[in-house]
């Protein structure tokens, strides 16, 4: 056995792993669309955004309560108050939610609300966090690090699987290309490669890869062509006023037309 990822790897003949969240099945034929604001900014605005993405056909909600921000002066998220708002949005829409676990000390509180626990790109190699995720009883969304190789990403998933949690969904979110700016580029090649190497479901976050609104829809469509099992899309009711990632957030109208475009894809 010289496969580096004994559990995450495809091995000889292991079939795709399906990660189930309520009625949703990540890794099967259905494309799962997760949408919502980058951060939970307040109850009314979040609930309106949740209603809008649900009406457009999103299957699941996103929204960060704890935000990893490049600058310590930027909005850091509402923390536990954000979790309370996510719980309210779940009750109202009936949709499951994904939100980030930034710090191990918040894991229990996040796991009480989240249906899918996000490990952000910056924490992809936070090994103590990965081991604790392995003990969590909820599925984990593992984002690829900003400059991580496929091997590093799959070995990070292996940490979670080895620690006892078999439910891991991978998320490609763009790779840092230019050391002089924060811009990323979506690595579409990683999709067929990961699907060949691994049995885990893999979704794509075109929002953080694009960094600008106009590129989100074309990248989302390309990601689906390249084999993504799902998409993670940032949507804000007034993108220009978003407290984090305003440039890349879609308006509800833009999200609706992306959903229409996805539905029009040839079978
Ligand atoms: C996010 O999805 O909220 C996020 C912070 O993404 P990433 O960790 O990929 O930068
Ligand atoms: Mn964001």
């Amino acid at each position: 056995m010289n496969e580096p990822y004994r559990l995450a790897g495809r091995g000889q003949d292991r079939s795709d792993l399906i990660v189930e969240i309520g009625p949703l099945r990540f890794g099967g034929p259905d494309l799962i669309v997760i949408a919502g604001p980058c951060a939970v900014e307040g109850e009314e605005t979040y609930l309106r955004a949740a209603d809008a993405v649900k009406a457009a056909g999103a299957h699941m909600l996103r929204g960060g309560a704890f935000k990893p921000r490049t600058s310590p002066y930027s909005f850091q998220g509402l923390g536990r108050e954000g979790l309370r708002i996510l719980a309210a949005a779940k009750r109202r829409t009936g949709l499951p939610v994904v939100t980030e676990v930034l710090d191990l000390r918040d894991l229990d509180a996040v796991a009480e609300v989240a249906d899918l626990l996000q490990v952000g790109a910056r924490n992809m190699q936070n090994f103590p966090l990965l081991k604790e995720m392995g003990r969590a009883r909820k599925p984990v969304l593992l984002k690829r690090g900003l400059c991580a190789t496929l091997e590093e990403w799959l070995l990070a998933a292996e940490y979670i699987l080895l620690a006892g949690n078999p439910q891991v969904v991978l998320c490609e979110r763009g790779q840092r290309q230019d050391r002089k700016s924060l811009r990323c580029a979506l690595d579409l090649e990683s999709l067929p490669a990961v699907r060949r190497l691994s049995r885990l479901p893999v979704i794509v976050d075109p929002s953080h890869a694009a960094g600008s609104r106009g590129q989100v829809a074309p990248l989302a469509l390309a990601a689906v062509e390249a084999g993504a099992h799902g998409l993670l899309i940032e949507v804000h009711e007034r993108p220009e006023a978003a407290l984090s990632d305003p440039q890349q957030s879609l308006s509800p109208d833009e999200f609706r037309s992306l959903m229409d475009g996805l539905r029009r894809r040839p079978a």
Side-chain angles (χ1 to χ4, degrees), residues 46-62:
Y46 191 80
L47 295 181
R48 278 200 301 270
D51 286 348
V53 298
K54 179 180 179 181
H59 306 102
M60 192 163 169
L61 302 175
R62 66 150 289 142

Side-chain angles (χ1 to χ4, degrees), residues 1 3-11 14-17 142 150-162 165-166 168 170 193-201:
M1 164 77 83
E3 190 185 17
Y5 349 97
R6 299 183 188 178
L7 303 169
R10 192 165 281 291
R14 276 183 291 170
S15 55
D16 287 354
L17 181 89
L142 178 64
L150 294 189
E151 176 155 328
E152 287 164 340
W153 189 19
L154 293 177
L155 286 172
E158 192 78 11
Y159 265 92
I160 302 171
L161 298 168
L162 188 62
N165 189 345
V168 176
L170 300 169
V194 159
R195 292 201 49 181
R196 183 169 41 80
L197 290 169
S198 170
R199 54 198 296 264
L200 300 178

Side-chain angles (χ1 to χ4, degrees), residues 37-41 62-67 75 77-78 82 86 98-100:
C38 177
V40 180
E41 299 176 358
R62 66 150 289 142
F66 299 95
K67 293 303 301 175
F75 176 59
L78 297 179
L86 287 170
V98 57
T99 195
E100 178 162 352

Side-chain angles (χ1 to χ4, degrees), residues 38 62 67 208 234 244-245 248:
C38 177
R62 66 150 289 142
K67 293 303 301 175
H208 288 90
E234 289 190 338
S244 57
D245 292 340
Q248 70 203 28

Side-chain angles (χ1 to χ4, degrees), residues 183 206-221 233-255 257-258:
R183 285 189 42 224
S207 302
H208 288 90
S212 74
R213 184 167 309 128
Q215 284 164 226
V216 173
L219 290 183
L221 292 162
I233 311 277
E234 289 190 338
V235 181
H236 193 279
E237 62 171 356
R238 287 201 305 128
E240 62 292 346
L243 296 180
S244 57
D245 292 340
Q247 323 78 345
Q248 70 203 28
S249 298
L250 299 186
S251 67
D253 277 349
E254 288 165 332
F255 179 64
S257 57
L258 168 58

